[in-house]
Amino acid sequence: MDIRDISNEELVAFLTANGQKAFRAKQVWQWIWEKGVGGFSEMKNIPGELQSLLSDNYTLQKAALETTLKAKDGTTKVGFRFRDDQVAEGVFIPSRKRVTACVSAQTGCKLNCSFCATGLLSMGRDLSAGEIFDQVFEIKRMAEAEEKNLSNIVYMGMGEPLLNYDAVMKSIEYVISKPGLAMSPSRITLSTAGIVPGIRRLADDGAKFHLAISLHSANNKIRSSLMPINKKYPLEELSEAIQYFHEKTGERITFEYLMLKDVNDTLTDAEELAVYCRSFPVKINIIEFNPVKELPYEPSTTERVDQFVKFLESRNMVVNVRQSRGHEIDAACGQLANRQMTPKNA
Ligand code: SF4
C-alpha cells in the first residue's frame, strides 16, 4: 500500500507497534508532503532501520512525468503516468511572476460533456490524494525552476473532483496545511460540473476555497445536451445547492461559461443566465472555446461574445472574459491524455 493512502493515526499506530517513536510520523510526512521525496531512502533524518521498516511495509510511488508540451505563451501540459500506467494531465499556466497549476482528479471522466476532450476517453479511475498532490508538487517545482511562485491551484483538469471527494479533500488538506505546502485556501479553486450532493457536502464541511461551476447554459434543454449530468441534477436543484453553499460558507461562486457558436451564445441565452443568477452572488467567467477536431463545436464570434458580455454587464453582473491559453498544445482538458490513451470508440 502507498504510504500516502494511510492516515496520520494509522502511521503513528504502525510506528509505535514496531517500537518506534511517534514523533517520527511527523518527520515522515514532512519528507513526503513538503519535500516531495520519491523514496524512503531519501529521508535523511530517518534512521536506516526505520527506512527499511517503512519500505518493507509500504510503497511510495510518485507519478512519472511522461510528456510535456509547451505553447508559445509558456503554458505547458504535463502528462503524469501513475503506477498502473494510467495517465492524467496537469497544466502549468505562467504569468509574469506567478504560476497557476491545473490538476486532474481522475483519469478520464464518466460525465461525457459533449464539448470536452476528456469525455472522449474511457473512464479510468479515481486518483489518490498522493497522485493529485504529485501534480501540484511537480508544477510547483517547474515554477521554481523558472524563479516563479506557484500562486494558484485549480482543480479543473480531467475528471469530476466531487466524484472523488475524499481524495480531493485530502490533497487540498496537504496543500493548505503543515506538514504540507501551507498555501492559503483562497488560492484554490475547485470546479464541478454540478454534482449537487457534493456541493452540499462541501458546504457542510465548511469549504474555505473557491467553488466554480461549469454552467455553460441556464436552459435545461441546452445544458442537458452539453452536459448529461444536468438530467440527474437539473438547474433548479443546482440553484438550491448553490444557495445552500452560499448560506453556509458566505462564499460567492463562479460560473464557467464556454462560448459555443450558435449553441449558447445568443441574447436569449444571456437573458436566461441573468435570470438564473438572481438567487445568489456570482461571478461569470466567459471562456473562449478551443476547437478540437473530434468535437462538433466552434468558438463564438468576437461580436457575439462582446454582445453577450455587454448584456450581462448591463444587468450589473460581474463578468470576466478569459482567453484560453496554449492553443497550439491542445489546451482543452483531456487532449494531451487523449494522445496517450485509447478513446472509447477506438
Ligand atoms: S468537462 Fe469536466 S466533467 Fe465534463 S467530461 Fe470533461 S472532465 Fe468530465
Side-chain angles (χ1 to χ4, degrees), residues 75 100 201 225 256 301:
T75 302
T100 296
R201 191 171 165 196
S225 74
E256 308 288 350
T301 60

Side-chain angles (χ1 to χ4, degrees), residues 180-241:
L181 303 181
M183 290 176 67
S184 164
S186 66
R187 299 291 182 177
I188 296 174
T189 301
L190 183 151
S191 177
T192 174
I195 307 297
V196 163
I199 294 169
R200 289 180 175 275
R201 191 171 165 196
L202 281 178
D204 291 335
D205 288 349
K208 295 274 189 298
F209 45 81
H210 299 298
L211 179 64
I213 294 172
S214 297
L215 194 74
H216 312 311
S217 175
N219 173 300
N220 271 322
K221 198 164 163 224
I222 298 173
R223 191 166 192 266
S224 294
S225 74
L226 295 171
M227 307 180 73
I229 193 68
N230 190 67
K231 293 179 194 148
K232 188 166 184 189
Y233 303 119
L235 287 160
E236 298 74 18
E237 276 184 46
L238 182 59
S239 173
E240 284 167 19

Side-chain angles (χ1 to χ4, degrees), residues 92-327:
F92 169 98
I93 308 164
S95 58
R96 231 155 38 100
K97 293 197 169 154
R98 295 176 175 175
V99 168
T100 296
C102 174
V103 298
S104 295
Q106 298 176 310
T107 60
C109 185
K110 62 180 181 189
L111 297 191
N112 294 328
C113 301
S114 61
F115 52 81
C116 170
T118 299
L120 297 171
L121 298 170
S122 315
M123 173 58 192
R125 64 167 172 83
D126 289 342
L127 293 177
S128 69
E131 290 168 333
I132 299 168
F133 186 85
D134 280 346
Q135 300 167 59
V136 176
F137 198 87
E138 289 310 319
I139 293 173
K140 181 173 184 283
R141 250 205 257 265
M142 289 166 66
E144 285 162 1
E146 294 190 10
E147 295 182 355
K148 291 179 173 161
N149 280 330
L150 177 66
S151 64
N152 293 83
I153 298 164
V154 293
Y155 284 72
M156 289 188 186
M158 295 165 64
E160 166 52 57
L162 295 184
L163 293 181
N164 185 16
Y165 192 95
D166 293 335
V168 164
M169 296 311 253
K170 184 173 171 184
S171 73
I172 290 176
E173 197 50 42
Y174 283 110
V175 169
I176 63 178
S177 52
K178 283 253 171 201
L181 303 181
M183 290 176 67
S184 164
S186 66
R187 299 291 182 177
I188 296 174
T189 301
L190 183 151
S191 177
T192 174
I195 307 297
V196 163
I199 294 169
R200 289 180 175 275
R201 191 171 165 196
L202 281 178
D204 291 335
D205 288 349
K208 295 274 189 298
F209 45 81
H210 299 298
L211 179 64
I213 294 172
S214 297
L215 194 74
H216 312 311
S217 175
N219 173 300
N220 271 322
K221 198 164 163 224
I222 298 173
R223 191 166 192 266
S224 294
S225 74
L226 295 171
M227 307 180 73
I229 193 68
N230 190 67
K231 293 179 194 148
K232 188 166 184 189
Y233 303 119
L235 287 160
E236 298 74 18
E237 276 184 46
L238 182 59
S239 173
E240 284 167 19
I242 294 167
Q243 288 173 56
Y244 183 73
F245 181 84
H246 174 63
E247 279 160 25
K248 285 266 191 169
T249 65
E251 287 285 331
R252 174 177 73 172
I253 55 124
T254 300
F255 281 151
E256 308 288 350
Y257 199 104
L258 196 57
M259 294 294 284
L260 301 170
K261 187 179 173 190
D262 299 333
V263 175
N264 64 353
D265 62 351
T266 66
L267 284 180
T268 307
D269 296 303
E271 171 79 53
E272 284 181 310
L273 177 57
V275 170
Y276 189 67
C277 294
R278 276 185 194 151
S279 313
F280 35 74
V282 63
K283 181 175 82 175
I284 315 278
N285 281 344
I286 299 289
I287 308 164
E288 183 188 308
F289 177 66
N290 267 347
V292 179
K293 71 173 182 318
E294 294 86 353
L295 300 175
Y297 298 108
E298 288 175 51
S300 298
T301 60
T302 312
E303 295 72 34
R304 275 279 173 94
V305 175
D306 288 348
Q307 202 182 34
F308 197 93
V309 169
K310 281 202 181 89
F311 179 87
L312 295 177
E313 286 175 342
S314 75
R315 299 296 172 94
N316 296 321
M317 298 177 70
V318 182
V319 188
N320 291 320
V321 180
R322 305 270 285 267
Q323 304 288 321
S324 358
R325 302 285 304 267
H327 279 282

Side-chain angles (χ1 to χ4, degrees), residues 50-61:
L50 177 51
Q51 290 178 4
S52 305
L53 179 69
L54 291 170
S55 61
D56 287 347
N57 288 277
Y58 298 106
T59 55
L60 176 50
Q61 287 175 283

